[in-house]
Amino acid sequence: MNMDAATLWTLLLIFVRITTFMVTAPLFSGRQIPSQYKIGFSAVLSILCVGMVKEPIPSLDESIIIVLILKEFLVGIVLGMVGNILLYAVQMAGSLMDVLIGFSMASLFDPTFGTSSQLTGRMQNALALLVLLATDGHHLLIEGILTSFDWIPIQASVPAFTDGSLASFLLDCVQQMFLIGFMMAAPIIGTLFLVDVALGIIARTVPQMNLFAVFPPLKIMIHFFIYIFILPSFFYLLKILFENMFGSMYSILKIMGV
């Protein structure tokens, strides 16, 4: 392949889209993956994709090239952010549980999102990533960014950035994230709420009892018992979450496609 100016500019634009996707997409954006590996993997995918582009860009003015680079930057971020928004439901559910248990006082650094998360949220996030890897979800993520070049050519404009349809869809994704997160946490939250009511009644009727010595271990024991009992439903909700995540990526390609 002759590396003329058109091919070099095409390679640059493809590299920008894939790289921005890698730094925002689920699993690949985690800080446990070194930046050198992300850049190297993006470069390899970009070189492989150059031959897939049907119409390499011709020689253009610098101003137009800058606009195209900005467009590819936004496309890659939006595609990766859609998947990450929905996956954040897993960590949000764990954080809601930990508030009622008391685990929120102990926080761990989450390398996937780059923030501090509670114990249950960190564990659920690890389980979700393991399930994503076990079901070849990372292959589907790579396939999604490669397919985006068929839906959104590198020379095409993206009207969805200005007509409001993209913003509305991202708000719908946030709504789905909260809905699935609350569904994951609802059994634990409901059970612990009833436990708090029962323990409050006991505290009023038996004031001699040492509340701080009895209640926290009891709530933790009930939490783990209920959590083990509802663990199969967690994996079922993960299945729904991943289906919505990949479906949302396909929908966002249709919205931004030309």
Side-chain angles (χ1 to χ4, degrees):
M1 180 177 60
N2 296 326
M3 298 295 289
D4 53 2
T7 304
L8 288 176
W9 284 119
T10 303
L11 177 62
L12 174 62
L13 294 175
I14 293 174
F15 179 74
V16 170
R17 182 186 299 190
I18 294 179
T19 304
T20 52
F21 176 80
M22 289 297 172
V23 299
T24 55
L27 184 64
F28 299 106
S29 61
R31 295 192 178 183
Q32 67 270 26
I33 302 177
S35 300
Q36 296 86 343
Y37 293 169
K38 297 177 186 177
I39 296 175
F41 186 56
S42 301
V44 172
L45 288 180
S46 301
I47 294 173
L48 295 176
C49 284
V50 171
M52 298 171 53
V53 177
K54 300 178 181 178
E55 298 179 359
I57 64 171
S59 299
L60 300 175
D61 296 336
E62 292 183 358
S63 59
I64 300 178
I65 291 294
I66 292 175
V67 172
L68 290 178
I69 291 176
L70 180 60
K71 186 262 293 185
E72 296 298 319
F73 181 82
L74 294 176
V75 169
I77 284 183
V78 169
L79 287 175
M81 188 172 59
V82 167
N84 232 350
I85 287 176
L86 294 175
L87 191 61
Y88 191 73
V90 177
Q91 183 174 338
M92 186 196 73
S95 300
L96 291 175
M97 299 178 194
D98 287 341
V99 170
L100 292 178
I101 306 167
F103 285 170
S104 58
M105 294 182 290
S107 299
L108 295 176
F109 180 75
D110 188 354
T112 302
F113 294 99
T115 58
S116 296
S117 62
Q118 282 72 37
L119 298 174
T120 308
R122 184 73 183 91
M123 183 187 68
Q124 291 199 153
N125 185 41
L127 286 176
L129 293 180
L130 289 175
V131 173
L132 185 65
L133 288 171
T135 55
D136 290 336
H138 55 298
H139 293 166
L140 295 177
L141 291 174
I142 296 174
E143 182 181 352
I145 186 61
L146 298 182
T147 307
S148 68
F149 293 101
D150 295 331
W151 289 85
I152 312 170
I154 56 177
Q155 300 184 58
S157 60
V158 182
F161 286 139
T162 56
D163 62 8
S165 59
L166 182 60
S168 300
F169 184 80
L170 291 178
L171 289 176
D172 291 338
C173 291
V174 174
Q175 179 183 2
Q176 292 181 29
M177 181 266 290
F178 278 104
L179 178 61
I180 297 177
F182 282 123
M183 290 176 63
M184 289 181 175
I188 299 292
I189 293 177
T191 302
L192 293 181
F193 174 76
L194 296 178
V195 170
D196 285 336
V197 173
L199 294 179
I201 295 174
I202 295 175
R204 297 291 294 177
T205 56
V206 189
Q208 298 83 6
M209 182 179 295
N210 190 351
L211 304 181
F212 294 100
V214 177
F215 287 2
L218 181 61
K219 291 182 66 175
I220 292 174
M221 182 185 67
I222 294 175
H223 163 260
F224 281 113
F225 177 78
I226 299 299
Y227 191 84
I228 293 173
F229 181 75
I230 66 170
L231 194 57
S233 65
F234 170 73
F235 290 109
Y236 175 74
L237 290 175
L238 273 184
K239 175 178 176 292
I240 298 177
L241 177 65
F242 291 151
E243 289 177 352
N244 289 342
M245 182 174 68
F246 295 122
S248 298
M249 291 183 65
Y250 177 71
S251 299
I252 206 75
L253 287 177
K254 291 197 298 183
I255 291 175
M256 294 191 298
V258 293

